[in-house]
Amino acid sequence: EEELPGIFHILNENLEIEQAVRDTDLPTLKYIPETVELSVLDIWLKTQKRKEYVIKERLVAPLLATGNYDVILFDCNPAWSEIVTGALSASDTLLSPLGADINSLKAAKIFVELLADFQEEMKHSFENFMIIPTMIEPNKLSQTILAKYRVQYEELCTVASIRRSIAVQEANVQGKSLMETAY
């Protein structure tokens, strides 16, 4: 099977961005695939000058400059890393899913504090920052956690929430995005 180039190849090997962009079944949705080299990208970013801005300057700005893209989405790992820092620095909107489970509830306060510290340190503010409650189930614990999110993060928490579903897993098995499988 042919190995597809990804973000690592664009940033580290100066691959032309459009060579990594792939089409989907939806005519207005394109993506750059994740590759095994993504795990090395974090280490590589640590060695770069102005590492926090590499993704913005070498990926986001050139894509937006083409006029072919209105929105660029980053689907980041929940663990903080140089890649996440770069993606956040390049973003004006942050949509963060937050699971309705006990571990996510415990981590939520730390996450919000880390984001506040990040914004202060980087002198960067998001035009929009929203927490989207996810993995909602019809049980008491899930509903209690959802209610806590709505109270503790009233300003950030979306009214809509996402129920636990196997649709994402099914889409993954099919090698498609959730949007493609629903299309």
Side-chain angles (χ1 to χ4, degrees):
E1 186 174 312
E2 174 192 354
E3 183 180 322
L4 300 174
I7 293 174
F8 176 82
H9 302 94
I10 295 166
L11 299 179
N12 187 41
E13 298 175 1
N14 296 316
L15 179 78
E16 292 293 322
I17 294 172
E18 291 300 327
Q19 289 181 283
V21 173
R22 299 288 176 249
D23 292 324
T24 67
D25 291 347
L26 300 175
T28 58
L29 179 66
K30 297 179 184 287
Y31 72 100
I32 297 174
E34 179 179 343
T35 63
V36 294
E37 292 86 3
L38 193 60
S39 61
V40 184
L41 183 58
D42 195 61
I43 296 165
W44 178 82
L45 279 170
K46 289 178 184 180
T47 68
Q48 301 304 298
K49 292 180 181 170
R50 296 177 38 85
K51 61 187 172 194
E52 299 88 354
Y53 303 103
V54 169
I55 292 174
K56 181 177 186 174
E57 293 170 353
R58 295 182 51 199
L59 183 68
V60 173
L63 277 170
L64 293 175
T66 67
N68 296 330
Y69 304 95
D70 297 321
V71 176
I72 298 170
L73 300 174
F74 289 100
D75 182 6
C76 293
N77 185 316
W80 205 287
S81 66
E82 297 297 339
I83 295 170
V84 171
T85 298
L88 290 173
S89 296
S91 301
D92 56 16
T93 296
L94 176 61
L95 304 173
S96 182
L98 196 53
D101 61 270
I102 197 69
N103 289 331
S104 295
L105 176 63
K106 290 176 181 178
K109 182 178 180 198
I110 295 167
F111 171 69
V112 170
E113 289 172 0
L114 280 172
L115 278 174
D117 291 346
F118 167 82
Q119 290 181 93
E120 184 178 324
E121 183 179 321
M122 296 297 296
K123 299 187 182 7
H124 178 82
S125 60
F126 300 107
E127 291 175 24
N128 301 294
F129 171 31
M130 293 170 272
I131 291 173
I132 305 168
T134 64
M135 299 191 298
I136 307 301
E137 296 186 69
N139 61 47
K140 187 173 181 176
L141 178 61
S142 183
Q143 296 302 313
T144 300
I145 291 171
L146 175 60
K148 285 184 183 233
Y149 287 159
R150 296 244 161 89
V151 170
Q152 290 176 351
Y153 305 108
E154 181 180 5
E155 301 285 321
L156 303 175
C157 195
T158 60
V159 174
S161 58
I162 300 172
R163 292 179 291 119
R164 180 178 291 278
S165 169
I166 62 164
V168 172
Q169 295 174 46
E170 289 173 339
N172 191 20
V173 167
Q174 295 174 26
K176 294 185 174 189
S177 72
L178 183 59
M179 291 178 276
E180 288 176 290
T181 59
Y183 181 61

